[in-house]
Amino acid sequence: MRFAYLGSGSRGNAAVISAGATHVLLDCGFPASEAERRLQRLGLEAADLAAVLVTHEHGDHIGGVSALARRHGLAVYMTLGTRAAGKMHPAVDVRVIDGHSPLTIDALEVLPYPVPHDARQPCQFVFHDGQWRLGVLSDAGCITPHIRDMLAPCDALAIEFNHDVDMLARGPYPPSLKTRVGGRLGHLSNCQSAALLADIGAERLQHLVLAHLSEQNNSPALAQQAAATALAVDPDWVQLADQADGLDWRQLAMR
Ligand SMILES: [Zn+2]
Ligand SMILES: [Zn+2]
């Protein structure tokens, strides 16, 4: 199994997870043509995709899904709540998932799990190719025991490090937005995600990717340092999924 990011941040999120010839797109917050360009940067065409999975209906995750799916005839998986709120074109092949039950897309087993976030029925995903597990977590206001249980057995993690609590407090956002971002249905701070990582530990991890960093309320160095301290690893080992450049392919393999 391998994975890569087309980009990550409040202006658009998308990742691709591959097992053999099965390629699944996770979210598409970029316009369809931009997503096609970013897929090509990773050596893929949109027509190569087996499916698109959508975590929730916020524009930075779903913005390009309808157009991309229509253009290439792609199946789109999302919860009932996300479909109700997500405004897909009626011609899109939407397949409803329940947010708890595993599903199989060709060579990938996909395990959805619900998260606390201010969307209708948000979920995140663990991907399993029969050997390795990749856990993805973004857009969650707090860590639940179930999130921890889903991510603890993973061999690679891509985790939201949205904001530094002090930078958010002192930053330019209006008070209502500060309350939303920092609240229990908002986004994970460096401190919250670092605590999750400290709880899970680094023993199994082949890759750790920090994602969905705020450009106003965080810095890559602060996020990397928080994660590295929590896991007692070198900050340089901690990887970042960038808004503009994403993250090139990362392979899960025998060590
Ligand atoms: Zn988001
Ligand atoms: Zn969101």
Side-chain angles (χ1 to χ4, degrees), residues 171-226:
Y173 281 10
S176 61
L177 188 52
K178 289 182 181 182
T179 300
R180 190 229 144 205
V181 169
R184 292 180 65 79
L185 296 175
H187 289 274
L188 291 169
S189 69
N190 293 349
C191 186
Q192 288 171 298
S193 294
L196 170 69
L197 292 176
D199 188 17
I200 290 174
E203 290 75 23
R204 298 184 70 101
L205 287 182
Q206 298 179 30
H207 301 283
L208 172 64
V209 176
L210 312 188
H212 217 308
L213 270 70
S214 168
E215 292 174 310
Q216 282 86 23
N217 304 312
N218 209 351
S219 77
L222 275 176
Q224 276 175 306
Q225 190 59 58

Side-chain angles (χ1 to χ4, degrees), residues 9-10 13 56 58 60-61 117 138-139 160 187 212:
S10 59
N13 293 272
H56 65 298
H58 291 162
D60 57 321
H61 299 266
H117 188 55
S138 76
D139 297 71
E160 168 171 61
H187 289 274
H212 217 308

Side-chain angles (χ1 to χ4, degrees), residues 6 25 28-39 46 63-72:
L6 284 66
L25 189 67
C28 186
F30 301 103
S33 53
E34 175 67 11
E36 289 165 358
R37 191 182 69 77
R38 289 174 181 240
L39 281 166
V65 170
S66 190
L68 190 75
R70 280 188 75 202
R71 201 180 281 186
H72 300 282

Side-chain angles (χ1 to χ4, degrees), residues 2-9 12-17 24-27 30 35 38-39 41-42 55 61 124-125 127 134-139 157-160 208-213 239-250:
R2 60 183 191 149
F3 67 100
Y5 271 85
L6 284 66
S8 182
N13 293 272
V16 58
I17 298 94
V24 169
L25 189 67
L26 173 62
D27 288 332
F30 301 103
R38 289 174 181 240
L39 281 166
R41 197 164 69 185
L42 294 165
T55 58
H61 299 266
Q124 295 286 322
F125 297 97
F127 298 89
L134 164 66
V136 176
L137 171 64
S138 76
D139 297 71
L157 290 173
I159 305 284
E160 168 171 61
L208 172 64
V209 176
L210 312 188
H212 217 308
L213 270 70
Q239 304 165 65
L240 287 169
D242 181 66
Q243 181 73 81
D245 299 328
L247 179 75
D248 203 358
W249 289 107
R250 295 293 183 263

